[in-house]
Amino acid sequence: ERVALIDVVKAWNEEEFALFPRRAGGDGCMSPATTFGDLSLYLKARLFKYVSELMPYYPEIPVIVSDMAVKNPHLLRVKELFESFEAFKMIENFMVGAKKWREIHTVYDVACGHGLVGILLAYRFPALDVVGVDVAVRPALAAWQTAFQQNGQKRPHW
């Protein structure tokens, strides 16, 4: 399978979410079981375009996601990735606006699961204390932490 250059460089469109595998039952929701390795080359290219446009001020983020895709493809669930980045965007916008009224020192990521939202917040706001809370530690948490530490800017803590 080959991917045309235009598929790699054309801007991401929110309607493209519908191209990703859906769960059985016809409810239209993205499949929670689909991993990066399950995607066609075209969808992989489009996912990386989405990631690269999401945080253009941190060009290393696609490298970090690529590291996860290569070293831990079974832990890189597509639905979780999209949900985490979309949640991050909303929280980031809120925090930037809220800083006009008061300083934010700590954020709690309750039911953090794989921890990506908290890690992204700690990465974006390095002075922020981010506390992840969950009933169990998922293997993806350590994998994401390692990918950020090996490929991203050095941060004092997660």
Side-chain angles (χ1 to χ4, degrees):
E1 179 182 10
R2 296 178 67 161
V3 177
L5 181 59
I6 189 68
D7 295 329
V8 177
V9 297
K10 71 179 175 183
W12 172 263
N13 180 327
E14 282 192 19
E15 294 172 4
E16 291 183 82
F17 284 124
L19 300 176
F20 288 81
R22 306 280 129 194
R23 70 179 172 199
D27 63 3
C29 291
M30 198 176 290
S31 171
T34 302
T35 64
F36 183 81
D38 298 328
L39 299 178
S40 67
L41 284 178
Y42 173 79
L43 289 179
K44 287 176 182 176
R46 298 311 299 149
L47 183 134
F48 275 105
K49 185 60 175 178
Y50 165 84
V51 170
S52 68
E53 289 180 0
L54 185 76
M55 296 172 67
Y57 40 86
Y58 290 123
E60 66 275 13
I61 296 296
V63 175
I64 293 166
V65 174
S66 177
D67 185 68
M68 279 290 289
V70 170
K71 295 178 181 173
N72 298 288
H74 60 290
L75 298 177
L76 188 56
R77 295 183 190 163
V78 175
K79 182 177 186 279
E80 286 181 348
L81 186 71
F82 281 132
E83 289 172 341
S84 295
F85 276 115
E86 290 297 311
F88 166 77
K89 284 191 319 187
M90 289 188 282
I91 297 166
E92 176 191 37
N93 289 337
F94 171 80
M95 290 183 61
V96 168
K99 281 185 157 188
K100 296 174 185 173
W101 293 285
R102 71 181 280 204
E103 191 69 26
I104 299 172
H105 300 284
T106 306
V107 169
Y108 291 89
D109 184 1
V110 180
C112 65
H114 50 76
L116 183 56
V117 174
I119 292 170
L120 286 167
L121 288 170
Y123 198 76
R124 171 67 172 85
F125 303 100
L128 187 67
D129 286 323
V130 178
V131 179
V133 179
D134 210 318
V135 296
V137 177
R138 288 181 41 193
L141 175 62
W144 277 116
Q145 288 173 322
T146 299
F148 271 83
Q149 290 167 348
Q150 292 178 348
N151 300 290
Q153 298 175 16
K154 300 302 177 206
R155 298 291 187 216
H157 64 281
W158 300 112

